[in-house]
Amino acid sequence: MGWYRHLSRDDRDQIAEILAAGLPQSRIAPDVGKSKFTISRELRRNALDNGGYSAAIADGAYMDGPIGLRCWSETPNLVSS
């Protein structure tokens, strides 16, 4: 599994599909090709109020998080004075 890489939208979609199929959480890590700790952290951080999981909401939360906001909001001012 090597170096840590962020989950992609495709990874999150695959997680949601596996959960929707009623398969156990232990099947997700090998199917997605990520560490079981990465999957566990993803499901814990992005759990819905009803205990479910939404790939779209999780991906949006990632983009709105501290790193996502910093990446999008720290655009240099291209207008010279």
Side-chain angles (χ1 to χ4, degrees), residues 1-7 11 25-41:
M1 301 214 186
W3 295 93
Y4 172 77
R5 298 195 194 288
H6 292 279
L7 292 173
D11 294 334
Q25 186 176 335
S26 60
R27 284 281 307 272
I28 298 172
D31 288 358
V32 177
K34 302 292 182 182
S35 157
K36 65 181 181 180
F37 301 108
T38 299
I39 302 302
S40 176
R41 183 177 53 242

Side-chain angles (χ1 to χ4, degrees), residues 9 12 42 46-48 53-64:
R9 176 59 191 263
R12 290 185 172 97
E42 171 72 8
N46 295 303
L48 301 175
Y53 177 81
S54 166
I57 292 174
D59 199 55
Y62 166 70
M63 291 307 296
D64 289 341

